[in-house]
Amino acid sequence: MPFGHDMACSLAAVADLINTAPETSSDGTDALVTLDDLEAYVRRHKVSGVAEVHPADLDQVRSLRSTFYSIFTSPGPAAAVDRVNLHLSRTRITARLTEHDGYPLHVHYFGPGASLVEHLAADCGVALAHLLVQGEWERLRTCTAPDCAKVFVDESRNRSRVYCDSRTCGNRMHVAAYRARRRT
């Protein structure tokens, strides 16, 4: 199922946010330690409506990623729904139509002047809610490579993606399988 631009961007942002945590890092390091790290994340995902990043944003965004991680790793769709509902109940959402940066009219779920964490909590939380409403919970995945714990959203047509990145984990696992076959 192809996702709309806003939803695809929000789902990519939430997966990337989760993957900055030590739990999902291959070497156990935290990739969201400094304000520079957070500013790089904001630039990478072109987070709109955020004039500047503040020191308080860093701790708040870091705690938000554990909330999103619990949704991605829910044991089933019912648990994911409960976790998204709990998250959304704590989120201030102000839906409004907007056009910016060359994108056509679309909906933002955060109000003008919202903090970075309010922006991410609302936009990413609503994207996850839409995914669940569409019955697409199984698209929230964790990489199946044995030494990788990164999360991703499977956007493949047949829901067959199993690795966070086909060029790294996927290629590494395929080469290992090929070498194992050659040994026998």
Side-chain angles (χ1 to χ4, degrees):
M1 142 171 273
F3 301 120
H5 173 75
D6 289 346
M7 188 167 165
C9 288
S10 293
L11 292 171
V14 73
D16 188 33
L17 179 62
I18 294 167
N19 289 333
T20 65
E23 300 82 24
T24 58
S25 165
S26 59
D27 59 2
T29 60
D30 192 332
L32 197 58
V33 177
T34 66
L35 276 180
D36 288 340
D37 297 337
L38 186 56
E39 287 170 350
Y41 171 85
V42 167
R43 280 191 310 275
R44 189 168 54 248
H45 291 285
K46 300 177 183 163
V47 178
S48 63
V50 177
E52 60 184 274
V53 176
H54 303 282
D57 292 331
L58 186 59
D59 289 333
Q60 293 171 347
V61 171
R62 288 177 65 172
S63 72
L64 185 60
R65 69 184 176 187
S66 63
T67 299
F68 289 141
Y69 183 69
S70 75
I71 294 167
F72 264 74
T73 58
S74 297
V81 167
D82 289 343
R83 291 172 184 180
V84 168
N85 278 336
L86 179 61
H87 168 71
L88 291 176
S89 73
R90 297 175 178 163
T91 304
R92 184 175 61 131
I93 295 177
T94 306
R96 67 187 182 90
L97 295 171
T98 185
E99 290 178 285
H100 61 87
D101 300 325
Y103 294 111
L105 191 63
H106 59 282
V107 180
H108 278 186
Y109 295 97
F110 59 93
S115 70
L116 175 59
V117 75
E118 289 172 324
H119 177 127
L120 294 174
D123 270 358
C124 295
V126 168
L128 289 167
H130 282 295
L131 189 85
L132 292 170
V133 165
Q134 294 172 1
E136 300 287 351
W137 173 79
E138 70 278 356
R139 290 186 182 274
L140 301 179
R141 302 266 175 93
T142 302
C143 185
T144 60
D147 58 344
C148 184
K150 289 186 177 184
V151 301
F152 63 94
V153 178
D154 179 4
E155 293 185 54
S156 67
R157 190 178 294 220
N158 63 357
R159 298 173 185 86
S160 62
R161 187 171 158 202
V162 293
Y163 301 117
C164 63
D165 184 8
S166 61
R167 289 173 295 195
T168 54
C169 289
N171 191 39
R172 191 175 69 249
M173 296 308 296
H174 290 119
V175 167
Y178 170 79
R179 288 181 178 158
R181 284 191 308 272
R182 298 280 295 174
R183 280 192 294 266
T184 57

